[in-house]
Amino acid sequence: MADIDKDQERTEQASPRRREEAHKKGQVARSPEVPSAAILLACTLLFYFGSSGMLERMMDLTRWILRECGTTTVSLGSIETLFWGWAWKLFLIMAPLLLTVVVAGFLSNYLQIGFIFAPEAIAPKFEKIDPLKGFQRLFSLRSLVELIKSILKMAVVAAIVWFTLKDETENLIPLMDESLMGILVYSGKVSFRIMITTCWVLIILALLDYLYQRWEYEKGLRMSRQEVKDEYKQAEGDPLVKARIRRIQREIARKRMMAKVPKADVVITNPTHLAVAIQYDADRMYAPVVVAKGAGYVAETIKEIARANKVPVIENKPVAQLLYKTVDVDRAIPEDLYRAVAEILAYVYGLKEHAV
């Protein structure tokens, strides 16, 4: 019983076929923390280099709204026009941010798993709406790990904000004498410090999470010895079935070969263990051809068929051994055996002439 349990342990590395099937199902080593960190870093850099332009466009939008609201006659059509105008201008302002989020998310996922099209992963399944399975997933080890990661991220961000603002305590009171633009610039600098520090920490956490997801993925793909054997049987075929097929193929080939023995001109033996059937047709063949050969039981069968069909059986041990070892069935004899085989054929033809 212990041997059976040991055999079922997943101790073997996943096979290429197992990995391919997992990819088709959308099962890959992917960390959701990597896209989060990448998007946050990309947006932070965008705000750092493009915040002034975005702020200027936001101020232009505010001035435009105030101007249009003060000069536009109130009606259903004018309000609709004003709304769509405001929505379009706001979209143009937010477009770089939206594009940055999409590109960063796409690249971070592509670098992790490449491009995978897995319809099976998005196909509707009853398991996804099964309350019992949903409850099991809610209290699974994976859910616990995700909860710990979320709490850790929140704690890290809170700690970064706290220590950063603590260092800026002395600079908060002088802000009362600053202009609105000065306050905004100071707030932007402090926010950027918080964001960039948070990004570096989240990148480290994302890297650790990716390594964990990779380890868990490889662990989930592991196979038991029985699964490896079953997969080999599916891919290569059951060895017993393959052996039976080969046996049937050999039997068919042997029957096909035996069917050619009655058409042979002579059967050369050594005399008891080997038998080689030779056929020669001067109109169709440039040299005599071995149409059948065998050893032991097969040789005896060839000789029996030959005698039953009045095919001469000639004993010539050296020639029989050379033909059996060097010439395959349905192949012409080599040149170095032309003379020996020709003498045997001439002798056979002579016997036939005398018989007539």
Side-chain angles (χ1 to χ4, degrees):
M1 190 69 177
D3 293 339
I4 296 176
D5 294 337
K6 183 177 180 181
D7 189 56
Q8 294 303 317
E9 292 180 358
R10 297 179 178 271
T11 57
E12 307 300 321
Q13 292 294 327
S15 63
R17 183 179 178 183
R18 181 69 168 257
R19 294 180 184 277
E20 183 180 355
E21 291 177 351
H23 275 70
K24 289 181 179 179
K25 296 178 181 179
Q27 299 174 359
V28 291
R30 175 186 172 275
S31 170
E33 305 302 326
V34 174
S36 300
I39 291 173
L40 182 61
L41 178 61
C43 291
T44 300
L45 295 176
L46 176 67
F47 285 133
Y48 179 78
F49 292 104
S51 58
S52 59
M54 294 180 66
L55 179 61
E56 184 64 29
R57 289 192 293 273
M58 288 294 293
M59 294 177 66
D60 291 340
L61 177 60
T62 303
R63 286 192 290 266
W64 178 84
I65 292 175
L66 295 175
R67 183 174 64 252
E68 292 296 323
C69 289
T71 58
T72 303
T73 303
V74 178
S75 65
L76 184 60
S78 62
I79 292 176
E80 183 179 357
T81 302
L82 183 64
F83 172 77
W84 286 112
W86 169 82
W88 175 248
K89 291 180 179 295
L90 181 62
F91 173 76
L92 293 179
I93 296 173
M94 299 301 295
L97 177 62
L98 298 176
L99 182 62
T100 300
V101 171
V102 172
V103 172
F106 176 81
L107 288 179
S108 58
N109 280 292
Y110 180 79
L111 292 176
Q112 287 189 89
I113 61 176
F115 181 78
I116 296 178
F117 180 69
E120 188 174 345
I122 60 177
K125 296 180 180 179
F126 178 75
E127 298 177 356
K128 296 182 180 179
I129 60 176
D130 186 357
L132 181 60
K133 292 187 178 295
F135 185 80
Q136 292 175 350
R137 288 194 297 267
L138 184 62
F139 292 95
S140 63
L141 178 60
R142 176 179 289 272
S143 298
L144 179 61
V145 172
E146 294 298 327
L147 177 61
I148 294 174
K149 289 193 300 183
S150 299
I151 295 175
L152 180 60
K153 286 195 297 183
M154 293 175 60
V156 168
V157 174
I160 293 173
V161 172
W162 167 258
F163 286 108
T164 302
L165 294 180
K166 184 179 180 182
D167 295 338
E168 296 293 331
T169 303
E170 299 178 355
N171 299 325
L172 295 178
I173 297 178
L175 287 178
M176 300 175 59
D177 299 328
E178 291 288 341
S179 62
L180 178 60
M181 184 58 67
I183 294 175
L184 291 176
V185 171
Y186 173 80
S187 300
K189 290 181 179 179
V190 175
S191 299
F192 178 75
R193 284 177 54 193
I194 293 174
M195 295 287 288
I196 199 66
T197 306
T198 302
C199 286
W200 285 116
V201 175
L202 291 184
I203 288 174
I204 295 174
L205 293 178
L207 178 60
L208 295 176
D209 182 65
Y210 176 76
L211 295 176
Y212 167 77
Q213 296 291 343
R214 190 76 187 179
W215 172 81
E216 188 179 50
Y217 174 75
E218 293 293 337
K219 181 181 178 182
L221 285 182
R222 285 180 183 175
M223 307 170 65
S224 65
R225 294 178 181 176
Q226 186 61 41
E227 288 176 329
V228 174
K229 294 178 181 177
D230 293 341
E231 183 179 284
Y232 176 79
K233 288 182 179 179
Q234 293 177 0
E236 302 295 333
D238 192 329
L240 296 178
V241 175
K242 291 178 68 176
R244 185 166 179 266
I245 292 174
R246 287 195 296 267
R247 186 168 61 252
I248 293 174
Q249 290 175 341
R250 287 195 298 268
E251 186 64 28
I252 294 173
R254 186 179 297 116
K255 290 181 178 180
R256 188 182 300 115
M257 181 180 70
M258 294 301 182
K260 297 179 181 179
V261 174
K263 301 177 182 179
D265 293 307
V266 64
V267 172
I268 306 172
T269 66
N270 76 333
T272 58
H273 298 90
L274 301 177
V276 180
I278 300 294
Q279 182 183 12
Y280 179 61
D281 186 345
D283 296 331
R284 296 186 300 107
M285 303 174 184
Y286 70 91
V289 174
V290 174
V291 295
K293 70 175 183 177
Y297 173 76
V298 177
E300 291 298 327
T301 304
I302 292 174
K303 288 186 288 184
E304 290 177 4
I305 296 174
R307 294 189 181 103
N309 290 272
K310 298 181 180 180
V311 176
V313 178
I314 304 299
E315 179 183 337
N316 192 317
K317 185 175 181 179
V319 175
Q321 290 178 344
L322 286 173
L323 288 174
Y324 181 82
K325 293 179 181 179
T326 61
V327 185
D328 294 329
V329 176
D330 293 330
R331 298 292 182 181
I333 65 173
E335 294 183 1
D336 55 348
L337 290 175
Y338 278 2
R339 183 180 182 83
V341 174
E343 292 177 352
I344 295 174
L345 289 175
Y347 174 74
V348 170
Y349 294 154
L351 291 177
K352 290 181 179 181
E353 291 178 358
H354 284 87
V356 174

